[in-house]
PDB file of all heavy atoms in Angstrom:
ATOM      1  N   GLN A   3     -23.564   4.994  17.081  1.00  0.00           N
ATOM      2  CA  GLN A   3     -22.712   4.110  17.855  1.00  0.00           C
ATOM      3  C   GLN A   3     -22.308   2.945  16.965  1.00  0.00           C
ATOM      4  O   GLN A   3     -23.157   2.352  16.289  1.00  0.00           O
ATOM      5  CB  GLN A   3     -23.436   3.581  19.103  1.00  0.00           C
ATOM      6  CG  GLN A   3     -23.768   4.642  20.142  1.00  0.00           C
ATOM      7  CD  GLN A   3     -24.997   5.453  19.784  1.00  0.00           C
ATOM      8  OE1 GLN A   3     -25.993   4.915  19.314  1.00  0.00           O
ATOM      9  NE2 GLN A   3     -24.932   6.758  19.969  1.00  0.00           N
ATOM     10  N   GLU A   6     -17.894  -3.221  16.990  1.00  0.00           N
ATOM     11  CA  GLU A   6     -17.215  -4.283  16.253  1.00  0.00           C
ATOM     12  C   GLU A   6     -17.342  -5.606  16.978  1.00  0.00           C
ATOM     13  O   GLU A   6     -17.394  -5.659  18.210  1.00  0.00           O
ATOM     14  CB  GLU A   6     -15.725  -3.958  16.052  1.00  0.00           C
ATOM     15  CG  GLU A   6     -15.434  -2.666  15.358  1.00  0.00           C
ATOM     16  CD  GLU A   6     -15.246  -1.509  16.331  1.00  0.00           C
ATOM     17  OE1 GLU A   6     -15.699  -1.620  17.483  1.00  0.00           O
ATOM     18  OE2 GLU A   6     -14.617  -0.504  15.965  1.00  0.00           O
ATOM     19  N   SER A  25     -25.775   1.670  15.366  1.00  0.00           N
ATOM     20  CA  SER A  25     -27.077   1.966  15.981  1.00  0.00           C
ATOM     21  C   SER A  25     -27.181   3.472  16.167  1.00  0.00           C
ATOM     22  O   SER A  25     -26.203   4.209  16.071  1.00  0.00           O
ATOM     23  CB  SER A  25     -27.225   1.241  17.315  1.00  0.00           C
ATOM     24  OG  SER A  25     -26.239   1.662  18.230  1.00  0.00           O
ATOM     25  N   ASN A  31     -25.792   6.285   4.413  1.00  0.00           N
ATOM     26  CA  ASN A  31     -25.294   7.473   3.730  1.00  0.00           C
ATOM     27  C   ASN A  31     -23.847   7.796   4.078  1.00  0.00           C
ATOM     28  O   ASN A  31     -23.353   8.867   3.730  1.00  0.00           O
ATOM     29  CB  ASN A  31     -26.168   8.667   4.041  1.00  0.00           C
ATOM     30  CG  ASN A  31     -27.556   8.538   3.431  1.00  0.00           C
ATOM     31  OD1 ASN A  31     -27.707   8.050   2.316  1.00  0.00           O
ATOM     32  ND2 ASN A  31     -28.568   8.969   4.173  1.00  0.00           N
ATOM     33  N   MET A  34     -17.747   3.846   4.952  1.00  0.00           N
ATOM     34  CA  MET A  34     -17.327   3.178   6.180  1.00  0.00           C
ATOM     35  C   MET A  34     -15.901   2.626   6.011  1.00  0.00           C
ATOM     36  O   MET A  34     -15.594   1.982   5.002  1.00  0.00           O
ATOM     37  CB  MET A  34     -18.276   2.025   6.492  1.00  0.00           C
ATOM     38  CG  MET A  34     -19.704   2.450   6.763  1.00  0.00           C
ATOM     39  SD  MET A  34     -19.900   3.392   8.287  1.00  0.00           S
ATOM     40  CE  MET A  34     -19.498   2.135   9.510  1.00  0.00           C
ATOM     41  N   PHE A  37      -9.837   0.308  10.238  1.00  0.00           N
ATOM     42  CA  PHE A  37      -8.487   0.677  10.629  1.00  0.00           C
ATOM     43  C   PHE A  37      -7.982  -0.366  11.623  1.00  0.00           C
ATOM     44  O   PHE A  37      -8.760  -1.168  12.151  1.00  0.00           O
ATOM     45  CB  PHE A  37      -8.490   2.065  11.305  1.00  0.00           C
ATOM     46  CG  PHE A  37      -8.871   3.189  10.380  1.00  0.00           C
ATOM     47  CD1 PHE A  37     -10.194   3.423  10.050  1.00  0.00           C
ATOM     48  CD2 PHE A  37      -7.903   4.014   9.853  1.00  0.00           C
ATOM     49  CE1 PHE A  37     -10.553   4.448   9.187  1.00  0.00           C
ATOM     50  CE2 PHE A  37      -8.227   5.043   8.980  1.00  0.00           C
ATOM     51  CZ  PHE A  37      -9.562   5.260   8.666  1.00  0.00           C
ATOM     52  N   GLU A  46      -3.485   2.495  11.576  1.00  0.00           N
ATOM     53  CA  GLU A  46      -3.312   2.533  10.135  1.00  0.00           C
ATOM     54  C   GLU A  46      -4.599   2.174   9.423  1.00  0.00           C
ATOM     55  O   GLU A  46      -5.420   1.418   9.927  1.00  0.00           O
ATOM     56  CB  GLU A  46      -2.185   1.599   9.682  1.00  0.00           C
ATOM     57  CG  GLU A  46      -2.448   0.127   9.905  1.00  0.00           C
ATOM     58  CD  GLU A  46      -1.372  -0.754   9.273  1.00  0.00           C
ATOM     59  OE1 GLU A  46      -0.511  -0.235   8.540  1.00  0.00           O
ATOM     60  OE2 GLU A  46      -1.433  -1.969   9.505  1.00  0.00           O
ATOM     61  N   SER A  52     -17.679   2.452  -0.095  1.00  0.00           N
ATOM     62  CA  SER A  52     -18.588   3.549  -0.372  1.00  0.00           C
ATOM     63  C   SER A  52     -19.982   3.283   0.177  1.00  0.00           C
ATOM     64  O   SER A  52     -20.280   2.184   0.661  1.00  0.00           O
ATOM     65  CB  SER A  52     -18.671   3.780  -1.877  1.00  0.00           C
ATOM     66  OG  SER A  52     -19.193   2.616  -2.524  1.00  0.00           O
ATOM     67  N   ARG A  53     -20.823   4.300   0.110  1.00  0.00           N
ATOM     68  CA  ARG A  53     -22.152   4.207   0.692  1.00  0.00           C
ATOM     69  C   ARG A  53     -22.957   3.030   0.168  1.00  0.00           C
ATOM     70  O   ARG A  53     -23.629   2.339   0.926  1.00  0.00           O
ATOM     71  CB  ARG A  53     -22.924   5.506   0.393  1.00  0.00           C
ATOM     72  CG  ARG A  53     -22.456   6.696   1.150  1.00  0.00           C
ATOM     73  CD  ARG A  53     -23.224   7.924   0.721  1.00  0.00           C
ATOM     74  NE  ARG A  53     -22.918   8.309  -0.638  1.00  0.00           N
ATOM     75  CZ  ARG A  53     -23.577   9.236  -1.311  1.00  0.00           C
ATOM     76  NH1 ARG A  53     -24.611   9.866  -0.763  1.00  0.00           N
ATOM     77  NH2 ARG A  53     -23.220   9.569  -2.544  1.00  0.00           N
ATOM     78  N   GLY A  56     -20.441  -0.009  -3.807  1.00  0.00           N
ATOM     79  CA  GLY A  56     -19.941  -0.186  -5.160  1.00  0.00           C
ATOM     80  C   GLY A  56     -18.450   0.040  -5.327  1.00  0.00           C
ATOM     81  O   GLY A  56     -17.872  -0.400  -6.327  1.00  0.00           O
ATOM     82  N   TYR A  59     -11.570   0.346  -1.395  1.00  0.00           N
ATOM     83  CA  TYR A  59     -10.155   0.635  -1.525  1.00  0.00           C
ATOM     84  C   TYR A  59      -9.447   0.017  -0.316  1.00  0.00           C
ATOM     85  O   TYR A  59      -9.989   0.024   0.780  1.00  0.00           O
ATOM     86  CB  TYR A  59      -9.905   2.152  -1.545  1.00  0.00           C
ATOM     87  CG  TYR A  59     -10.604   2.820  -2.708  1.00  0.00           C
ATOM     88  CD1 TYR A  59     -11.865   3.382  -2.536  1.00  0.00           C
ATOM     89  CD2 TYR A  59     -10.014   2.892  -3.971  1.00  0.00           C
ATOM     90  CE1 TYR A  59     -12.510   3.998  -3.588  1.00  0.00           C
ATOM     91  CE2 TYR A  59     -10.655   3.488  -5.030  1.00  0.00           C
ATOM     92  CZ  TYR A  59     -11.923   4.043  -4.829  1.00  0.00           C
ATOM     93  OH  TYR A  59     -12.564   4.634  -5.888  1.00  0.00           O
ATOM     94  N   ALA A  61      -5.543  -0.885   1.784  1.00  0.00           N
ATOM     95  CA  ALA A  61      -4.119  -0.686   1.944  1.00  0.00           C
ATOM     96  C   ALA A  61      -3.373  -1.795   1.203  1.00  0.00           C
ATOM     97  O   ALA A  61      -3.875  -2.923   1.094  1.00  0.00           O
ATOM     98  CB  ALA A  61      -3.757  -0.733   3.427  1.00  0.00           C
ATOM     99  N   SER A  63      -1.004  -3.530   2.096  1.00  0.00           N
ATOM    100  CA  SER A  63      -0.645  -4.647   2.981  1.00  0.00           C
ATOM    101  C   SER A  63      -1.738  -5.703   3.086  1.00  0.00           C
ATOM    102  O   SER A  63      -1.463  -6.842   3.482  1.00  0.00           O
ATOM    103  CB  SER A  63      -0.302  -4.128   4.381  1.00  0.00           C
ATOM    104  OG  SER A  63      -1.400  -3.403   4.932  1.00  0.00           O
ATOM    105  N   ARG A  72     -20.862  -4.562   2.827  1.00  0.00           N
ATOM    106  CA  ARG A  72     -21.822  -3.952   3.736  1.00  0.00           C
ATOM    107  C   ARG A  72     -23.234  -4.423   3.377  1.00  0.00           C
ATOM    108  O   ARG A  72     -23.531  -4.762   2.231  1.00  0.00           O
ATOM    109  CB  ARG A  72     -21.742  -2.430   3.670  1.00  0.00           C
ATOM    110  CG  ARG A  72     -22.143  -1.795   2.391  1.00  0.00           C
ATOM    111  CD  ARG A  72     -21.780  -0.278   2.383  1.00  0.00           C
ATOM    112  NE  ARG A  72     -22.470   0.444   3.448  1.00  0.00           N
ATOM    113  CZ  ARG A  72     -22.085   1.647   3.886  1.00  0.00           C
ATOM    114  NH1 ARG A  72     -21.030   2.240   3.346  1.00  0.00           N
ATOM    115  NH2 ARG A  72     -22.763   2.257   4.831  1.00  0.00           N
ATOM    116  N   ALA A  75     -29.288  -2.804   4.873  1.00  0.00           N
ATOM    117  CA  ALA A  75     -30.542  -3.186   5.528  1.00  0.00           C
ATOM    118  C   ALA A  75     -30.302  -3.595   6.977  1.00  0.00           C
ATOM    119  O   ALA A  75     -31.189  -3.437   7.822  1.00  0.00           O
ATOM    120  CB  ALA A  75     -31.207  -4.320   4.765  1.00  0.00           C
ATOM    121  N   SER A  85      -6.137 -15.562   4.665  1.00  0.00           N
ATOM    122  CA  SER A  85      -4.672 -15.704   4.620  1.00  0.00           C
ATOM    123  C   SER A  85      -4.008 -14.825   5.660  1.00  0.00           C
ATOM    124  O   SER A  85      -3.046 -14.100   5.365  1.00  0.00           O
ATOM    125  CB  SER A  85      -4.157 -15.372   3.213  1.00  0.00           C
ATOM    126  OG  SER A  85      -4.762 -16.199   2.233  1.00  0.00           O
ATOM    127  N   GLU A  89       1.583 -10.519  11.347  1.00  0.00           N
ATOM    128  CA  GLU A  89       1.656  -9.063  11.300  1.00  0.00           C
ATOM    129  C   GLU A  89       0.284  -8.395  11.162  1.00  0.00           C
ATOM    130  O   GLU A  89       0.192  -7.173  11.225  1.00  0.00           O
ATOM    131  CB  GLU A  89       2.578  -8.579  10.177  1.00  0.00           C
ATOM    132  CG  GLU A  89       2.294  -9.177   8.822  1.00  0.00           C
ATOM    133  CD  GLU A  89       3.201 -10.362   8.523  1.00  0.00           C
ATOM    134  OE1 GLU A  89       3.399 -11.228   9.411  1.00  0.00           O
ATOM    135  OE2 GLU A  89       3.690 -10.435   7.363  1.00  0.00           O
ATOM    136  N   CYS A  96     -13.789   0.011  13.260  1.00  0.00           N
ATOM    137  CA  CYS A  96     -14.544   0.552  12.135  1.00  0.00           C
ATOM    138  C   CYS A  96     -14.878   2.003  12.426  1.00  0.00           C
ATOM    139  O   CYS A  96     -14.888   2.443  13.568  1.00  0.00           O
ATOM    140  CB  CYS A  96     -15.814  -0.248  11.856  1.00  0.00           C
ATOM    141  SG  CYS A  96     -17.091  -0.137  13.110  1.00  0.00           S
ATOM    142  N   ALA A  98     -17.139   5.611  10.676  1.00  0.00           N
ATOM    143  CA  ALA A  98     -18.074   6.173   9.695  1.00  0.00           C
ATOM    144  C   ALA A  98     -17.613   7.573   9.321  1.00  0.00           C
ATOM    145  O   ALA A  98     -17.362   8.408  10.198  1.00  0.00           O
ATOM    146  CB  ALA A  98     -19.476   6.229  10.280  1.00  0.00           C
ATOM    147  N   SER A  99     -17.504   7.795   8.037  1.00  0.00           N
ATOM    148  CA  SER A  99     -17.132   9.128   7.569  1.00  0.00           C
ATOM    149  C   SER A  99     -18.344   9.804   6.974  1.00  0.00           C
ATOM    150  O   SER A  99     -19.483   9.342   7.115  1.00  0.00           O
ATOM    151  CB  SER A  99     -16.022   9.019   6.531  1.00  0.00           C
ATOM    152  OG  SER A  99     -16.550   8.582   5.293  1.00  0.00           O
ATOM    153  N   GLY A 104     -13.024   9.612   1.724  1.00  0.00           N
ATOM    154  CA  GLY A 104     -11.967  10.608   1.877  1.00  0.00           C
ATOM    155  C   GLY A 104     -12.321  11.730   2.817  1.00  0.00           C
ATOM    156  O   GLY A 104     -11.455  12.527   3.171  1.00  0.00           O
ATOM    157  N   THR A 105     -13.588  11.795   3.214  1.00  0.00           N
ATOM    158  CA  THR A 105     -13.986  12.801   4.189  1.00  0.00           C
ATOM    159  C   THR A 105     -13.654  12.325   5.598  1.00  0.00           C
ATOM    160  O   THR A 105     -13.348  11.170   5.830  1.00  0.00           O
ATOM    161  CB  THR A 105     -15.465  13.140   4.054  1.00  0.00           C
ATOM    162  OG1 THR A 105     -16.231  11.919   4.126  1.00  0.00           O
ATOM    163  CG2 THR A 105     -15.762  13.814   2.727  1.00  0.00           C
ATOM    164  N   GLN A 112     -15.232   0.843  19.343  1.00  0.00           N
ATOM    165  CA  GLN A 112     -14.283   0.614  20.424  1.00  0.00           C
ATOM    166  C   GLN A 112     -13.182  -0.371  20.042  1.00  0.00           C
ATOM    167  O   GLN A 112     -12.164  -0.460  20.754  1.00  0.00           O
ATOM    168  CB  GLN A 112     -15.013   0.106  21.666  1.00  0.00           C
ATOM    169  CG  GLN A 112     -15.955   1.134  22.267  1.00  0.00           C
ATOM    170  CD  GLN A 112     -15.207   2.361  22.730  1.00  0.00           C
ATOM    171  OE1 GLN A 112     -14.264   2.295  23.499  1.00  0.00           O
ATOM    172  NE2 GLN A 112     -15.612   3.534  22.228  1.00  0.00           N
ATOM    173  N   THR A 117      -5.790 -11.592  16.902  1.00  0.00           N
ATOM    174  CA  THR A 117      -4.442 -12.111  17.168  1.00  0.00           C
ATOM    175  C   THR A 117      -4.189 -13.291  16.236  1.00  0.00           C
ATOM    176  O   THR A 117      -4.983 -14.234  16.214  1.00  0.00           O
ATOM    177  CB  THR A 117      -4.302 -12.563  18.627  1.00  0.00           C
ATOM    178  OG1 THR A 117      -4.597 -11.457  19.493  1.00  0.00           O
ATOM    179  CG2 THR A 117      -2.887 -13.042  18.912  1.00  0.00           C
TER     180      THR A 117
END
Side-chain angles (χ1 to χ4, degrees):
Q3 293 80 41
E6 302 93 339
S25 61
N31 292 321
M34 298 292 294
F37 294 78
E46 66 173 352
S52 62
R53 289 177 292 171
Y59 301 94
S63 58
R72 67 189 299 162
S85 302
E89 51 263 44
C96 68
S99 76
T105 53
Q112 294 299 305
T117 303

